[in-house]
Amino acid sequence: MNTTLSFLRALLAAPAEVGALWPSSRYLAQSMAQAAVACGASGRVIEVGAGSGALTLALLTRFGSERLQVIECAPELVQVLRKKFPQLDIRRERIEHFLPQAAPDPDSSLLVSSLPFKSLPAAQARLLSSTYIRFVQRGGAVIQFSYGLTPPFALNDADGLQWQRVSRVWRNLPPACVWRLQARKTDTLSPT
């Protein structure tokens, strides 16, 4: 089955959930994987919204099949991923259902996400962002990309978190920014 054709079918079936007109480039995948390695997480790496598998391949190369868990909700893309990566545990599930049960120890876990927060319906985006916020507040780490220069979703002061832009990938259609969701850094004043 042609990967691009499967991607386009998934896009037509659920455009808001796919959120892109073309699969992620290998350049974006490499940048996301480098950001994931830089997090230094020692536990499981959970890829969310794996799509056609460009990022999956980059993560598999860096983390191995024992540490990588893949979550994708589009049935056709799950089939493509299972054929491309038979050694991986690829789940057809929604991350907001999977994560609370599967990652009880987030301090050593990392989410690497390609979810299109900006194109999702508002209620779904709020649910997903609160899931990610709780995960990071409990000690996990999140790498996420977005199109444009603004972070994937807004944070409140009470969250105690901030977005850090890790890189800008021009060789992607459209260009994208890679972000890390992390605890807010506090400025400390030195005594005078």
Side-chain angles (χ1 to χ4, degrees):
M1 183 182 296
N2 181 305
T3 302
T4 303
L5 183 58
S6 296
F7 178 87
L8 293 174
R9 284 184 183 147
L11 173 65
L12 291 173
E17 289 190 357
V18 173
L21 297 175
W22 202 252
S24 297
S25 71
R26 69 174 190 244
Y27 305 103
L28 178 56
Q30 294 300 326
S31 186
M32 294 275 289
Q34 288 171 0
V37 169
C39 282
S42 60
R44 183 168 28 177
V45 176
I46 304 167
E47 181 187 8
V48 185
S52 59
L55 178 55
T56 308
L57 179 60
L59 293 172
L60 179 61
T61 301
R62 286 170 173 80
F63 294 102
S65 60
E66 302 79 31
R67 289 185 61 195
L68 185 57
Q69 170 75 63
V70 179
I71 306 297
E72 172 58 58
C73 66
E76 188 163 339
L77 294 175
V78 169
Q79 290 178 0
V80 168
L81 291 165
R82 286 179 177 159
K83 286 181 185 176
K84 283 173 91 171
F85 307 105
Q87 72 276 37
L88 290 177
D89 182 11
I90 299 169
R91 306 270 177 103
R92 180 180 172 222
E93 197 164 352
R94 301 188 85 69
I95 192 63
E96 64 269 26
H97 301 141
F98 173 83
L99 194 58
Q101 299 170 2
D105 186 20
D107 62 335
S108 64
S109 297
L110 170 66
L111 290 180
V112 182
S113 174
S114 299
L115 294 184
F117 281 93
K118 294 179 182 182
S119 69
L120 293 172
Q124 186 179 7
R126 279 192 303 274
L127 173 64
L128 289 166
S129 63
S130 65
T131 300
Y132 281 30
I133 288 166
R134 281 191 306 275
F135 183 78
V136 175
Q137 288 171 334
R138 290 177 26 225
V142 171
I143 300 295
Q144 170 75 47
F145 80 87
S146 69
Y147 301 121
L149 297 174
T150 58
F153 57 82
L155 298 168
N156 295 315
D157 287 340
D159 296 330
L161 305 176
Q162 68 183 19
W163 287 106
Q164 176 190 16
R165 189 168 70 196
V166 176
S167 64
R168 176 113 172 127
V169 182
W170 292 101
R171 294 176 80 179
N172 191 71
L173 183 62
C177 288
V178 176
W179 300 86
R180 179 177 179 178
L181 183 58
Q182 61 190 14
R184 187 182 307 124
K185 294 180 177 21
T186 55
D187 295 330
T188 56
L189 300 174
S190 58
T192 55

